[in-house]
Amino acid sequence: MEQFLFFFIALVAVASAVYFVFARNPLYAILSLIVTFFSIAALYVLLNAQFLGIVQIIVYTGAIMVLFLYVLMMLNLNAKDESKKQNLTKFIGIFSAGILFVGMLGAYKGLSQSNVVQNIDSSIGLTKNLGKLLFNEYVLPFELASILILAGIVSAVLIGKKDL
């Protein structure tokens, strides 16, 4: 059942990604990208990486898609602007995707079944293990990154502040 669910969600992700590439209406393209992001988050959850799934939903589906929709509304694209695009860029994209597909097919053919690990650790991908690793082994880079982000926020406030 879990394997069927995985393949179904993967099919939804690939179908919505293909629709994103070939959609004529930019709003529908962005909505299909949202479906793609949600299905990728579901795949992360199925692979026992709940933290990555939640981050995928919060960061990409939430913040990035709101930004895309905002830019789309600001650009005010019309259907008459769509006819100005060249077919050469679409052909290059299809050709690149075909080369990627052939490469993935060759990599899949080169896989052997003997490399499959039989003992699966169910604790891999849990947020508890990530927190232990982050606050024990990588505490200095974590704190330096937080100081860097704080400096960026303070700098943005100072730059944007009006002189009185």
Side-chain angles (χ1 to χ4, degrees):
M1 179 65 184
E2 186 175 320
Q3 189 175 13
F4 172 74
L5 188 62
F6 178 82
F7 284 121
F8 176 73
I9 293 173
L11 180 69
V12 168
V14 169
S16 61
V18 167
Y19 183 77
F20 170 75
V21 172
F22 292 110
R24 296 249 181 228
N25 190 346
L27 183 65
Y28 292 152
I30 289 178
L31 291 176
S32 70
L33 192 60
I34 291 173
V35 171
T36 305
F37 284 156
F38 269 117
S39 56
I40 289 173
L43 288 175
Y44 281 143
V45 170
L46 282 176
L47 293 172
N48 201 22
Q50 293 85 5
F51 180 73
L52 284 178
I54 296 300
V55 167
Q56 176 81 18
I57 290 173
I58 291 171
V59 173
Y60 289 107
T61 308
I64 302 297
M65 286 293 97
V66 168
L67 181 67
F68 279 5
L69 283 173
Y70 178 72
V71 168
L72 178 70
M73 297 304 167
M74 291 297 290
L75 289 177
N76 195 13
L77 296 176
N78 296 326
K80 62 183 175 184
D81 297 335
E82 195 68 26
S83 64
K84 295 179 183 176
K85 292 184 178 177
Q86 299 292 329
N87 287 332
L88 179 65
T89 57
K90 291 180 182 178
F91 175 73
I92 291 172
I94 292 171
F95 183 72
S96 301
I99 290 176
L100 179 67
F101 178 73
V102 168
M104 289 174 60
L105 192 62
Y108 179 72
K109 188 176 180 183
L111 285 176
S112 65
Q113 294 297 334
S114 63
N115 292 340
V116 177
V117 177
Q118 297 298 328
N119 297 333
I120 298 174
D121 187 11
S122 63
S123 67
I124 293 177
L126 294 178
T127 311
K128 177 178 154 184
N129 295 337
L130 178 67
K132 283 183 183 177
L133 186 67
L134 187 64
F135 290 117
N136 288 334
E137 195 170 327
Y138 296 106
V139 70
L140 182 63
F142 181 73
E143 292 297 328
L144 289 176
S146 65
I147 291 171
L148 184 65
I149 291 171
L150 180 64
I153 292 171
V154 170
S155 301
V157 168
L158 288 176
I159 289 172
K161 183 179 147 184
K162 285 186 176 181
D163 290 330
L164 296 176

